[in-house]
Amino acid sequence: MMDLKPNIVILSTGGTITGEAIDMLSTKDYVIGKISIQRLLQSTPSFQSIANITLEEIANIDSADMSNAIWLNLAHKTDNLLKDSNIDGIVITHGSDTLEESAYFLHLVLKSHKPVVFTAAIRPFSAIGSDAIKNLYNAISLAGHKESSHKGVMVVMNDKIYSAREVSKTHTLNLEAFNAPNSGAMGYIIDGEIFFHTMPLKPHTQDTPFNIQDLDILPKVDIVYSYCNDGSKVAIEAFVKVGSEGLIIAGSGAGSIHKTPKDYLRGLLKKQAIIVVKSSRVGAGLVPLTQKELREGFISANNLNPQKARVLLMLALSKTKAIKTIREYFKKY
């Protein structure tokens, strides 16, 4: 009898989903990497009923320690696996803290229409009320679903499906920790049944110019936070000194920057010393530019938050330093 179950590969990178706490009531005092994804898969026979699953560990870290090297390794590994006609989809388990950045990176660089799904856990597997099993089950279900292709990289948390471009972690500890402030969820999952109600509108994966096949390093881009009484330019000077090629400004409101650091940034732009992108610390909404800012060389992050704007600028700088072209990237992707 022919096996009609999809073939899914799980790539593990660590995070709370592999964590073990000191006792069943603890949701924050735990050690990452103590529980393997294999143990989660063995915890219930339901996993074997939805897919043929293979597992590979890419890293075993707190996602706060995610690095460019792991990103590139993960992207290369995922791309190569997706070229295999026997593989139907990929699930990537990840720490929740920087999941949105890793997912958006792969959303921009992978060159396949097959499903790639990130998931995580807010509570470790060992804790009462852990979301680890349900999130993993939903991610595997989504990666193997016939309607999941051509949607770019997706994120599954708390029964909801999000586009990697739109999703952000918006709560520190609540199970409803992820949202898509500008667009809402793409769909939801009920007991493994998939319901889509939107599609990502921005180009992704095969429709972007970002290719990491020949990329060994990523350009250095840093984030500068703007706040009341920010009368110093020390942070900007330090980043420039250590070789930053681009800066994301996490501005107040619609991207406002205190006048002292902004005047310094104007000087850097005049000398073409660095690329500067205005984002917002608010977490949702567009960042507009004035005509003067356009002439000075500032770039709008569109509605990307600072951490995602950084991902896009790193990839943009791997292609060009032309302000006009980078502006178009931020409008398009």
Side-chain angles (χ1 to χ4, degrees):
M1 183 176 176
M2 184 179 294
D3 187 353
L4 299 179
K5 292 185 294 185
N7 298 315
I8 303 299
V9 178
I10 300 175
L11 300 178
S12 171
T13 67
T16 301
I17 198 168
T18 64
E20 184 173 45
I22 56 175
D23 59 57
M24 294 178 66
L25 293 176
S26 179
T27 60
K28 63 182 188 300
D29 191 0
Y30 55 87
V31 178
I32 286 170
K34 295 286 284 185
I35 295 177
S36 68
I37 298 299
Q38 185 64 43
R39 182 172 165 188
L40 268 68
L41 294 172
Q42 293 170 345
S43 68
T44 170
S46 298
F47 285 108
Q48 301 308 318
S49 69
I50 58 173
N52 301 310
I53 302 167
T54 55
L55 174 64
E56 183 172 343
E57 183 178 282
I58 300 297
N60 190 13
I61 61 168
D62 184 320
S63 71
D65 298 324
M66 186 56 63
S67 68
N68 291 351
I70 297 175
W71 269 0
L72 290 168
N73 183 32
L74 181 61
H76 285 299
K77 171 62 70 172
T78 304
D79 239 352
N80 289 333
L81 286 170
L82 293 173
K83 292 175 184 176
D84 187 337
S85 60
N86 293 316
I87 293 174
D88 297 300
I90 305 286
V91 169
I92 299 171
T93 58
H94 197 287
S96 62
D97 288 356
T98 62
L99 181 151
E100 65 192 85
E101 293 156 78
S102 298
Y104 185 46
F105 179 75
L106 264 63
H107 187 69
L108 292 171
V109 303
L110 294 180
K111 300 305 171 192
S112 174
H113 66 269
K114 294 181 182 179
V116 175
V117 181
F118 276 73
T119 196
I122 305 302
R123 297 175 182 170
F125 173 65
S126 59
I128 294 174
S130 172
D131 53 336
I133 293 294
K134 189 67 178 294
N135 286 343
L136 184 59
Y137 182 87
N138 283 344
I140 295 168
S141 299
L142 181 62
H145 188 58
K146 61 183 179 180
E147 295 181 13
S148 293
S149 63
H150 298 280
K151 290 180 172 65
V153 175
M154 293 174 283
V155 172
V156 168
M157 293 293 292
N158 204 34
D159 296 336
K160 293 183 180 178
I161 306 166
Y162 299 99
S163 168
R165 185 193 184 276
E166 306 299 334
V167 71
S168 288
K169 187 172 184 180
T170 57
H171 196 284
T172 57
L173 296 171
N174 199 301
L175 293 184
E176 185 73 5
F178 282 77
N179 284 287
N182 289 300
S183 68
M186 289 175 62
Y188 53 95
I189 303 175
I190 300 177
D191 297 337
E193 190 173 0
I194 314 298
F195 299 89
F196 284 111
H197 54 74
T198 64
M199 286 278 289
L201 296 178
K202 299 281 188 180
H204 53 75
T205 53
Q206 293 175 309
D207 296 322
T208 79
F210 309 118
N211 193 321
I212 46 86
Q213 291 306 313
D214 300 317
L215 207 58
D216 296 316
I217 59 172
L218 292 168
K220 182 170 172 52
V221 175
D222 291 290
I223 299 173
V224 177
Y225 205 87
S226 187
Y227 46 89
C228 289
N229 305 311
D230 179 18
S232 171
K233 58 185 186 296
V234 172
I236 299 170
E237 289 176 320
F239 282 134
V240 173
K241 186 175 181 179
V242 297
S244 294
E245 297 179 48
L247 289 177
I248 307 298
I249 312 301
S252 55
S256 299
I257 307 170
H258 188 284
K259 62 181 181 180
T260 301
K262 189 170 185 179
D263 285 342
Y264 186 68
L265 289 168
R266 288 185 173 116
L268 293 175
L269 288 170
K270 192 172 184 179
K271 292 186 291 186
Q272 298 182 334
I274 203 163
I275 299 294
V276 180
V277 175
K278 288 181 64 181
S279 183
S280 172
R281 67 187 196 183
V282 171
L286 290 166
V287 173
L289 295 179
T290 66
Q291 289 301 311
K292 182 181 179 183
E293 288 172 331
L294 287 168
R295 291 192 299 269
E296 290 170 334
F298 287 96
I299 296 169
S300 168
N302 196 301
N303 64 356
L304 291 174
N305 62 26
Q307 56 269 32
K308 285 193 176 173
R310 177 178 175 268
V311 172
L312 180 51
L313 184 56
M314 292 167 75
L315 289 170
L317 286 170
S318 74
K319 302 285 292 182
T320 182
K321 291 189 177 182
I323 289 175
K324 182 178 179 181
T325 304
I326 296 174
R327 278 186 180 145
E328 289 303 311
Y329 286 160
F330 273 92
K331 288 179 182 177
K332 191 170 184 178
Y333 305 109

